[in-house]
């Protein structure tokens, strides 16, 4: 059984919404910039992927709005966009008990940092009684459920940079098991605050010393020297195909397979041979009932780190051989939105399948000889494909791969 993608909600450094984001990824519109003047992370990152600030009071009712993390705000906005894009009103178009919500991410650590500093400066009375409901990792999913009256399965994932993709995988599992007709799934991340950015900076994981911030993220390129930390949120509405057909809904694509493995190797470093990622991709193909030759495009995890890019291309060769399918990493433009990246990249893969247009890896001026592959460079590749693979690999050795395929609903979308 597959799950139709009938709604997409995205808020990223390159734009908002499926059409705007996919256009940016194809034409090379970068979302990377110097930190805005006065931004809390200005002293911690040379370059970042920023989204506009949103007044929490516009999406969170009551006094809790004063102590709610940006992750919650972004999740609420993109969930609303995704449901509207799908044309779904919970309770009108679907039984609330047959709707699930799964949202990944590290949680509201920026707000926690703010409250810890407030307590240190003004004492215990400075700590808000609303702090927990502002920062707990399950709050994006909980707030979405409360706002839209979703009464089915609800969960959150904290599997680092794989958490958004894992949310989608679990959404497919819910639909396949018959436990839901509709699942809102995705991730929300707001990591651009001092302590979180400093830990990456002190580990020398972040891109540095780039006069042009738009050139800083360069997956698979010989000059890459780290990833660009970015914020954003993404939500997909997955829907049982029969349910979508019954209400006359159109789909961008189907999620047809998933795979998940653990490297069991190191907290931050991937297995050099990519063995865990190889098994993950093979499981995703088996879940979709496909062979490696069926995949027409790979949206790589491709963060622009030395070891990560090498390990992933080794894994791709282990699955597809030396002459694998066209591949690219859209993080060259968005930066690395941690768990959200997997959702945005799954959406990009779905749109690539729908449009017959495969976005390139920008900034890939000279391919690292240690990262061989059929890299799409300079401009989009126009090619009709039936299936795409999207990879997400996180700290702790968390691997998730998703297969996106041509929509099987009666009605298709390509915009």
């Amino acid at each position: 059984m597959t799950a139709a993608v009938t709604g997409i909600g995205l808020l990223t450094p390159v734009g908002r919404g499926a059409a705007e984001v996919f256009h940016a990824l194809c034409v090379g519109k970068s979302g990377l910039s110097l930190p805005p003047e006065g931004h809390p992370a200005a002293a911690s990152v040379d370059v970042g992927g920023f989204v506009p600030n949103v007044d929490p009071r516009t999406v969170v009712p009551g006094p809790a709005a004063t102590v709610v993390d940006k992750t919650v705000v972004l999740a609420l906005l993109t969930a609303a966009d995704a449901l509207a894009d799908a044309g779904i009103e919970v309770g009108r178009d679907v039984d609330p008990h047959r709707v699930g919500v799964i949202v990944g991410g590290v949680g509201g650590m920026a707000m926690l940092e703010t409250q810890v500093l407030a307590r240190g400066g003004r004492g215990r009375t400075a700590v808000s009684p609303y702090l927990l409901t502002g920062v707990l990792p399950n709050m994006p999913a909980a707030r979405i459920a409360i706002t839209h009256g979703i009464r089915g399965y609800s969960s959150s994932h904290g599997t680092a940079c794989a958490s958004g993709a894992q949310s989608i995988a679990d959404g497919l599992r819910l639909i396949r098991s018959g436990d839901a007709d509709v699942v809102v799934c995705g991730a929300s991340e707001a990591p651009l605050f001092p302590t979180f950015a400093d830990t990456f900076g002190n580990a020398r994981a972040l891109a540095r010393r780039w006069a042009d911030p738009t050139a800083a993220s360069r997956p698979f390129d010989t000059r890459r020297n780290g990833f660009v930390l970015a914020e954003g949120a993404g939500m997909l509405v997955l829907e049982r195909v029969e349910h979508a057909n019954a209400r006359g809904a159109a789909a961008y694509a189907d999620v047809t397979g998933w795979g998940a493995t653990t490297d069991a190797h190191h907290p931050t470093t991937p297995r050099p041979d990519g063995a865990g990622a190889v098994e993950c991709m093979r499981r995703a193909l088996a879940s979709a009932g496909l062979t490696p030759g069926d995949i027409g495009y790979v949206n790589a995890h491709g963060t622009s780190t030395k070891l990560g890019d090498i390990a992933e291309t080794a894994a791709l060769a282990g699955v597809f051989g030396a002459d694998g399918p066209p591949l690219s990493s859209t993080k060259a433009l968005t930066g690395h939105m941690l768990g959200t990246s997997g959702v945005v990249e799954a959406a990009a893969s779905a749109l690539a399948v729908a449009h017959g247009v495969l976005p390139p890896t920008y900034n890939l001026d000279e391919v690292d000889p240690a990262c061989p592959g059929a890299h799409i460079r300079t401009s989009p590749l126009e090619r009709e494909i039936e299936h795409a693979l999207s990879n997400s690999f996180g700290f702790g050795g968390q691997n998730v791969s998703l297969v996106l395929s041509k929509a099987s609903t009666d009605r298709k979308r390509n915009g």
Side-chain angles (χ1 to χ4, degrees), residues 153-384:
Y153 180 92
S154 176
S155 184
S156 58
H157 282 302
T159 47
C161 305
S163 60
Q166 191 148 15
S167 297
I168 297 170
D170 277 7
L172 174 58
R173 292 173 68 186
L174 272 182
I175 288 173
R176 280 185 171 178
S177 68
D179 291 327
D181 294 322
V182 173
V183 184
V184 180
C185 47
S188 182
E189 302 276 26
L192 286 162
F193 61 96
T195 300
F196 202 69
D198 287 338
T199 189
F200 284 119
N202 292 341
R204 301 185 65 79
L206 299 181
R208 56 199 181 278
R209 299 189 302 274
W210 290 95
D212 177 5
T214 67
S217 181
R218 40 198 325 112
F220 311 117
D221 187 78
T222 54
R223 292 197 294 153
R224 70 190 186 283
N225 65 2
F227 69 86
V228 174
L229 195 60
E231 60 189 356
M235 300 291 161
L236 303 186
V237 172
L238 303 189
E239 189 167 355
R240 186 167 54 85
V241 171
E242 295 79 5
H243 190 275
N245 284 337
R247 66 183 190 88
Y252 293 98
D254 290 352
V255 183
T256 54
W258 66 279
T261 63
T262 305
D263 278 355
H265 173 69
H266 189 273
T268 59
T269 304
R271 283 186 177 274
D273 61 1
V278 167
E279 177 64 18
C280 182
M281 288 185 271
R282 286 176 175 166
R283 290 188 181 193
L285 293 173
S287 173
L290 301 175
T291 67
D294 294 320
I295 298 298
Y297 167 63
V298 174
N299 189 296
H301 184 58
T303 59
S304 188
T305 62
K306 288 289 184 183
L307 297 179
D309 288 2
I310 292 171
E312 184 172 11
T313 49
L316 288 167
V319 175
F320 297 102
D323 299 319
L327 71 108
S328 67
S329 171
T330 46
K331 288 185 179 72
L333 301 175
T334 65
H336 192 2
M337 297 172 283
L338 307 182
T340 294
S341 290
V343 187
V344 175
E345 290 154 15
S349 299
L351 291 163
V353 169
H355 286 281
V357 178
L358 316 182
T361 303
Y362 286 95
N363 296 330
L364 183 48
D365 298 329
E366 182 179 355
V367 177
D368 184 344
C371 299
H375 296 283
I376 309 170
R377 302 165 58 191
T378 309
S379 60
L381 176 63
E382 294 189 13
R383 178 176 295 182
E384 291 294 328

Side-chain angles (χ1 to χ4, degrees), residues 78 107 112 207 234 253 255 396:
T78 50
L112 180 60
V255 183

Side-chain angles (χ1 to χ4, degrees), residues 38-118:
H39 193 281
S44 301
V45 297
D46 293 342
V47 55
F50 301 88
V51 300
N53 284 323
V54 179
D55 186 344
R57 293 171 296 183
T58 62
V59 292
V60 178
T66 62
V67 189
V68 65
D69 194 79
K70 193 172 185 178
T71 54
V72 175
V73 176
L74 299 182
L76 284 167
L77 289 173
T78 50
D81 286 353
L83 286 166
D85 189 41
I88 288 178
E89 182 180 323
V90 178
R92 181 195 68 186
D93 304 298
V94 59
D95 179 350
H97 295 92
R98 299 285 300 167
V99 184
V101 55
I102 310 171
V103 183
V106 299
M109 291 196 290
M111 181 56 67
L112 180 60
E113 177 178 82
T114 300
Q115 288 280 287
V116 168
L117 291 173

